[in-house]
Amino acid sequence: MLNFFSSKKSNQNYTNEGNIDLKNIPKHIAIIMDGNGRWAKERRLPRTMGHKAGVEAIREIVKECSNIGVKYLTLYAFSTENWVRPKDEVSALMSLLMEYLKKEFRELDSNNVVINHIGDISKLPQVCQQELINAYENTKHNTGLVLNLALNYGGRDELVRAFKLMHEDIIKGKINENDINDNTLSNYLDTKGMPDPDIIIRPSGEQRLSNFLLWQCAYSEFWYSNIKWPDFKKENLHKAIYDYQNRDRRFGGVKQS
Ligand code: FPP
C-alpha cells in the first residue's frame, strides 16, 4: 500500500513550503471544518458532495499534521446542533464517517495515529458508535498524532456532562468540593489529559466559535480564512502555523524584555 505519511521514524515526505519553524509546531490544532455546503453550492452540486470533498481535505490535513509532528488534531465533524439539518444530510455525514474509518483505518494505524473521538457518541447510530470504539481500541497504544473526531460534540454539552460526573463523584466522596479547581474540571472533560488547543482554525469566512471547545480555548489563538474547507490544503495549514508562530502569546502576562 502507498504510504502517504512520513514513516514513524522520519519525515522524509515533508516539504516546508511555508517556512514554518519545525521546532515550534503547535501541540494541539483544532479545526472547525466549515464551508462544505457553500463549496458545493458554488459548483451547483448537492451539499453532500461538499462534505465528500471535505473528507479529502481531512485526509490531506491529517497526513500533514502527522508529518510535521503535531501531537493532537481535533476536527469538528458534527455538532450537537447539526441534528436539525435535513435527514438525508445527517445520514450522508454518518455514512461518510463510516467510510472514512473503514477506508483510512489501516493507513492511520500504520502511521502511528490514535483515532480518538470526543462528544457524546451515544446518540450516533449504533454502527458508527461501534466503528469509533473499535478504531480507538485498536489504535490507542499508538504514540503519534492523536486524531480527535468531534462528533455530536458541543462545548456546553461537554461542560454539562462534566458537571454531572463531578457532582456524582462529590456525592460518592471521591472528591471534595473545596478542592475543585481548573484542573479538576478539565479532568472531567472529553479532552482529559490533552493540552488545550494552541490554535483554532476556521475556514469559510465565518468568525465565531460555534460551541467548539468552550473551556479549552481560553488562550487559543484564532485563525480565520475565506477558503472553504474542501479547498483547505496543506499550504493553508502551513500559513496558519506560520502566523501562529509569529503571534505574541502572553497568557495574561507581560512580554519579557
Ligand atoms: C460544516 O460545513 C461542516 C460540517 C457540519 C460537517 C463536516 C464533516 C465532514 C467534512 C465530513 C465527515 C466527517 C468525517 C470525520 C469523515 P457546512 O455544511 O455548515 O457548510 P456551509 O456553512 O457552507 O453550509
Side-chain angles (χ1 to χ4, degrees):
M1 189 183 15
L2 234 169
N3 183 357
F4 290 114
F5 292 81
S6 60
S7 76
K8 286 182 193 182
K9 291 130 215 137
S10 77
N11 61 0
Q12 62 199 3
N13 294 340
Y14 176 66
T15 49
N16 186 359
E17 288 100 352
N19 291 321
I20 54 174
D21 177 359
L22 292 172
K23 293 193 198 78
N24 182 24
I25 293 296
K27 274 199 189 72
H28 188 168
I29 296 181
I31 307 183
I32 302 174
M33 304 184 288
D34 197 12
N36 297 349
R38 278 162 286 164
W39 183 93
K41 196 173 174 193
E42 280 167 8
R43 291 161 179 76
R44 297 172 195 274
L45 293 168
R47 290 178 57 79
T48 49
M49 293 305 287
H51 296 312
K52 204 164 182 224
V55 177
E56 294 309 314
I58 293 179
R59 287 201 179 96
E60 175 159 339
I61 297 308
V62 170
K63 176 176 70 170
E64 192 58 11
C65 283
S66 178
N67 282 347
I68 61 177
V70 173
K71 187 59 200 156
Y72 296 90
L73 172 66
T74 301
L75 299 178
Y76 206 4
F78 194 86
S79 78
T80 45
E81 287 75 39
N82 285 153
W83 295 107
V84 298
R85 292 187 176 214
K87 257 192 186 153
D88 61 342
E89 183 171 342
V90 172
S91 56
L93 283 167
M94 297 302 150
S95 301
L96 284 172
L97 169 67
M98 291 290 289
E99 202 181 305
Y100 175 77
L101 292 171
K102 281 182 201 262
K103 268 199 193 161
E104 300 298 306
F105 174 81
R106 209 130 48 106
E107 190 170 328
L108 291 170
D109 183 41
S110 64
N111 285 285
N112 213 11
V113 174
V114 179
I115 308 171
N116 191 34
H117 53 267
I118 62 169
D120 178 7
I121 64 159
S122 71
K123 308 277 184 334
L124 264 49
Q126 192 67 44
V127 281
C128 295
Q129 292 180 42
Q130 205 46 61
E131 202 68 37
L132 284 163
I133 292 165
N134 290 347
Y136 175 69
E137 286 302 321
N138 290 311
T139 57
K140 67 183 179 192
H141 300 300
N142 287 341
T143 55
L145 174 74
V146 176
L147 171 62
N148 285 326
L149 299 173
L151 291 154
N152 190 32
Y153 177 86
R156 288 182 173 182
D157 180 67
E158 181 188 35
L159 284 165
V160 170
R161 287 187 285 109
F163 291 142
K164 283 185 181 162
L165 292 172
M166 197 160 67
H167 181 239
E168 275 171 30
D169 281 354
I170 293 170
I171 289 172
K172 287 181 195 156
K174 283 191 182 169
I175 55 165
N176 186 316
E177 62 186 284
N178 298 319
D179 298 334
I180 295 172
N181 55 33
D182 275 24
N183 281 338
T184 326
L185 183 57
S186 296
N187 283 333
Y188 285 91
L189 297 173
D190 299 341
T191 51
K192 176 182 173 180
M194 303 178 197
D196 288 340
D198 297 295
I199 174 167
I200 301 213
I201 294 175
R202 183 164 192 160
S204 95
E206 309 294 353
Q207 301 189 6
R208 55 178 170 266
L209 202 48
S210 299
N211 204 7
F212 191 41
L213 301 172
L214 296 182
W215 172 270
Q216 297 88 336
C217 74
Y219 275 100
S220 305
E221 296 294 324
F222 285 86
W223 192 87
Y224 300 104
S225 142
N226 288 330
I227 302 149
K228 300 190 178 58
W229 175 248
D231 289 330
F232 197 89
K233 306 281 179 229
K234 68 176 184 180
E235 294 73 23
N236 306 113
L237 177 75
H238 283 219
K239 177 72 171 79
I241 294 175
Y242 179 83
D243 288 349
Y244 161 84
Q245 290 177 336
N246 287 287
R247 299 238 182 128
D248 181 20
R249 298 185 85 190
R250 295 188 299 279
F251 299 95
V254 286
K255 199 174 178 185
Q256 302 283 342
S257 52

